[in-house]
Amino acid sequence: MSNSGVSDRIIDPMMAIANCSTRQHIVVVGAKSMELMMELHRRGYLLAAAAGNCGLPAGQYEVALVDWRRRTLHALDATVDWLDDFLSPRAVLVIWLDAQKEVAKEALRAAVTKRGFVVLQGAEHPCGSVLLARRSQALPVQQAA
């Protein structure tokens, strides 16, 4: 474990729900994106980049880790729009939030869905909650019987 409180509280559950490999390109977004990126590098995820050094958008990232503590859901809309061109067609989006009321969590799910993602999983933790979503076009369409 890292000495960083961020690692203990955010990185571990985010990486667990994302099920990332060290060969995936990961972009980290949020106020602590550089700190989180450095922690990922320390753990062997050398293809991780922070929002400030992620290059030009070219659909190059397979995973987006979004640290959205102490920020509004309204502001998240612009961030997900910005991320869109950086994410590959099969990308997953992992969003960490402060502990929220159920209404706020539903608003987050609606905002993510509106942008073409399907919420696959959510989990509660003592210091917040995490949500996993994948682009809807990346999910196989079930054939009618």
Side-chain angles (χ1 to χ4, degrees):
M1 288 250 180
S2 165
N3 291 333
S4 161
V6 171
S7 167
D8 297 342
R9 287 183 252 145
I10 296 175
I11 286 289
D12 292 334
M14 288 181 88
M15 295 305 287
I17 200 169
N19 196 26
C20 295
S21 83
T22 56
R23 290 183 264 152
Q24 288 181 297
H25 290 86
I26 302 168
V27 62
V28 184
V29 180
K32 303 274 186 181
S33 63
M34 289 300 287
E35 182 181 337
L36 294 172
M37 179 200 70
M38 295 302 287
E39 178 61 21
L40 288 172
H41 284 191
R42 190 187 74 70
R43 294 174 180 215
Y45 294 90
L46 302 179
L47 300 176
N53 68 348
C54 63
L56 296 173
Q60 68 268 43
Y61 293 101
E62 299 150 298
V63 178
L65 301 178
V66 181
D67 172 13
W68 214 249
R69 292 172 295 162
R70 291 180 241 105
R71 296 187 177 202
T72 67
L73 289 177
H74 178 69
L76 183 62
D77 288 341
T79 298
V80 174
D81 285 343
W82 174 82
L83 266 174
D84 194 47
D85 292 332
F86 288 92
L87 300 179
S88 73
R90 299 188 55 79
V92 295
L93 178 65
V94 178
I95 302 172
W96 182 272
L97 294 167
D98 292 317
Q100 300 282 327
K101 294 181 180 175
E102 196 58 41
V103 172
K105 288 186 236 175
E106 288 305 316
L108 171 64
R109 288 174 182 269
V112 168
T113 301
K114 182 173 109 181
R115 281 169 177 67
F117 288 85
V118 174
V119 175
L120 301 175
Q121 189 176 355
E124 297 298 318
H125 295 273
C127 60
S129 59
V130 63
L131 175 134
L132 171 70
R134 181 177 295 279
R135 289 186 184 269
S136 60
Q137 68 264 29
L139 297 174
V141 177
Q142 292 185 343
Q143 301 236 336

